[in-house]
Amino acid sequence: MTASSPAGAGAGADSLALGDTVRFRGASYTVTAFHGQRVLLDACESVEGNPLIILQAALTSAPDFAVTGRSAPRTELVSRTGEFAALPKDVRKAALEWERHVKQVLHQQAPGVPAVTAPEAAFDPDRFTLMQRYEAKAAQLQAAGRKVSAYTVARKCRAWLGGGLMALVDRRTVRVPSPHGRTDARVIEAVWQTLDTEREAGLSPGTLSRLIARVQATVEARHADELTDKKAGARLRPARATLYRRLAELGITADGSHRAAERHAAGPARAAGRPGHRPATFARWPGELVQIDTTGLDVLALGDDGKIVPVELTIAIDVATRSIIGALVVPRRTGRTPAEGRWLGGRATRAYDAVQLLAQATAPLPARPGWSPETLLEGSDLPFEELLEADPRFAGAAARPVIKPETVVVDHGSPYVSENFSRACQELGCEVRDARVRTAVDKAIVERAMLASKTGFSQHLATYTHHRLDLRGRRVRHQPLFTIAELQDLFDQWVALRWQQTPHSALRSPFLSGMKLTPNQMFAALTALRGYRSVTLTEQNIRKMLPVAWVRVTRKGFQINNRTYSLGNELRPFHGSSNIPGRQGRWEVHYDPNKPEVAWLFNHRASAGSDPWVEVPFIYRRLITEQWTEELWEEATRIFLAAGGSPRGESGIARALDKLLRDVGGGRPLEARTPAPRPESLPDHAHTERAAQPRRPYAQGLPPLDRDAIDPFPDLDRPAAELFLPDPAPDPQPGQSLDEFLASVLNTPDTGSVPDTPPAPGPQPEDGPGTGLEEDR
């Protein structure tokens, strides 16, 4: 039992003396002796028990300990040393000084004074009352030049007995100022309520002046009775300049007021140390915790359709080893039809892309031709021989570990809340954990990895687009562009060469404390403790992870995204209802968006041991001669519809797609393309594309060549064999003038002056047959 001591408690209230009766573990004992830190306790006559020898600290810290033989209970002083240490130095010094005075009044002797020093008689509790000691201390401080009354001393003593050292701190130094100054908090509440009402109603943000006018009208209507008071009216009716300052403090701007209201409605970000927080992200072994996120890579690339597009990067990072176990680069494009304005051909990270990321984590990354030898697993810090023995797929792999996720942390993005992603995680046995809104610690590691990928990879590319417009290059779109596949190849190489082999400050060796490790070294260390288990996905597992479409099978087949798939009479058993509950008779079909030329129909009625999958091809797949994706199909659909085609013209869309692939592969500029013609305007013989003819830039606009009208190049006046022979200039003769010397060098007649015009080029009549360039040719 603990209790606060009253102001008039006598000496010894906080001590344990011989003869005291104490309660300990439900029994009463008498203190009979002390020996160092030990106390000898004898059981009271009314209680049966044996004598005890116990440490005094253990006795007094027992939950039910109490001194029952005296009326003065013990005093409990609150310890708040951490809060006290955070105060300014002068505030701490003043509180400590007051504590010395308080202890001298209550205990007769100030702390830190040697025991041989005689205490001051004015504070002897046996001779003076507590009030007299208050007055003596006040007189002592007044003599030192401080204006202190006995009431102040008494107040300080009572505060110290109740709250300890922190109770002596000047409250003015720890007072928290109002976050909004003299503006009433109800005005700020009206601001947020006004913005929330606008957002819910779907109104445009508007200007700050409109917001201020609406807030003032709201305050006038709600608090009209208080506005008659001058003091309350000043707080409820701040000046417009004051309101502008308050809006700036709240982060509300003219173009971001609704975003600020949305952040305010979501509440403050929860971090470690707050009630209800989640501890910092930590994992003990590879795969225990994997974080996945998507961000813009800040790089322009050349899309599959030949257009310049920004790209998105989705990565999966293992928390225990900080290894990037999966990465996918996809284009980010949106499009609308010119007339209807509806979405068509949009592209961003999809659920299937997130599923591919999980598949990457379960298989080694193959090293590709042209990669640096340093990217190979064989020469890295990973245990190559042990991994190769456990999993033959590591032969020829890159230096990136294989880690099967056990728990996946994702945000609330549409790819991660989809049915396809949830089903894929269920197939792999992964638990999906949603990160809390505005809680940075839940996905801090993958967010930091995203930033590192931009500073370590993106900014070294010529098409890097900084997220700040003032730091972005002016001619970024005119720089050499990589395709999506080339960008994916470069990033995979960067992961194996740089990320996995660079020491990380958060990775420390479990064997050598303080040594920073690379992600590959950390994986090797943890694998040595826990081992490696190979995870191989079967063909059926892979097909189950593909996107699913529920279709009706007719005599013509079935359709997926405006494409018809058929096998003729082989699909006759599936013409009826599937009898799957909740699917209205539809059948389950899976397809690969990156290779949609075939689809797989799942036969849930197949007998045990037989293959339940039926491969069904796209009926117009032979019209498309190159590899294509669903994204290109949507682009070809847009081109075909712009040319006046019908959405049901699958053959025309297939020909438009084939033409699109040839144009991009042949390097033809996209601006020079002509819209695909309508199918009804195409004759039968026009279905075959003619071979591209080489261009003749001078085929038109030039007259026919007349060889007789061409003047031959004039001959030299000397044989070509003598052009490069040394011909030293003659020395000037004594008495020879400068003009005469120059005339002799030029082999001109000595006329006493240099001729004004040189001889005409070409052969002279007396020179005989020409022996110049024409003869040499």
Side-chain angles (χ1 to χ4, degrees), residues 112 116 149 173 185 227 236 308 340 379 410 438 512 596 644 688 723 732:
V116 296
S149 64
T173 60
L227 293 175
L236 289 170
I308 301 176
E340 304 175 9
V410 296
R438 294 183 56 79
L512 300 174
T688 305
L723 286 177

Side-chain angles (χ1 to χ4, degrees), residues 270-420:
R270 284 178 282 182
R274 293 177 58 91
H277 75 280
R278 185 180 294 178
T281 304
F282 177 76
R284 295 163 294 178
W285 58 80
E288 181 184 10
L289 202 61
V290 174
Q291 297 180 2
I292 301 179
D293 199 11
T294 301
T295 186
L297 195 56
D298 294 346
V299 173
L300 295 179
L302 189 65
D304 294 338
D305 56 354
K307 295 181 179 179
I308 301 176
V309 293
V311 296
E312 284 184 347
L313 172 67
T314 304
I315 64 173
I317 185 168
D318 176 62
V319 174
T321 64
R322 299 301 195 271
S323 297
I324 297 180
I325 58 177
L328 195 65
V329 179
V330 300
R332 183 177 60 193
R333 178 189 300 113
T334 56
R336 295 180 184 270
T337 57
E340 304 175 9
R342 64 184 180 90
W343 289 105
L344 182 67
R347 179 70 166 91
T349 302
R350 304 165 298 184
Y352 177 62
D353 299 324
V355 172
Q356 290 186 76
L357 211 65
L358 296 176
Q360 287 185 21
T362 61
L365 175 65
R368 302 184 181 100
W371 282 18
S372 170
E374 298 178 359
T375 61
L376 297 178
L377 176 67
E378 186 174 358
S380 67
D381 294 321
L382 293 173
F384 173 69
E385 296 181 357
E386 291 81 357
L387 293 176
L388 184 61
E389 183 179 358
D391 193 345
R393 297 178 300 170
F394 280 106
R400 193 190 75 179
V402 175
I403 301 175
K404 177 186 176 295
E406 297 179 9
T407 302
V408 178
V409 180
V410 296
D411 56 17
H412 302 272
S414 57
Y416 309 116
V417 298
S418 64
E419 181 184 355
N420 289 338

Side-chain angles (χ1 to χ4, degrees), residues 18-58:
L18 293 175
D20 287 343
T21 303
V22 298
R23 183 172 65 246
F24 177 68
R25 293 185 177 178
S28 296
Y29 297 89
T30 302
V31 179
T32 58
F34 291 95
H35 185 271
Q37 299 180 0
R38 295 177 176 83
V39 182
L40 178 62
L41 303 178
D42 281 343
C44 295
E45 297 179 357
S46 59
V47 180
E48 295 182 0
N50 297 323
L52 295 179
I53 300 178
I54 188 173
L55 292 175
Q56 182 176 351

Side-chain angles (χ1 to χ4, degrees), residues 726-739:
D727 189 10
D731 296 333
Q733 301 297 328
Q736 189 178 21
S737 63
L738 179 59
D739 295 338

Side-chain angles (χ1 to χ4, degrees), residues 48 59 185 226 499 650:
E48 295 182 0
L59 172 66
E226 298 184 37
W499 179 269
E650 297 182 39

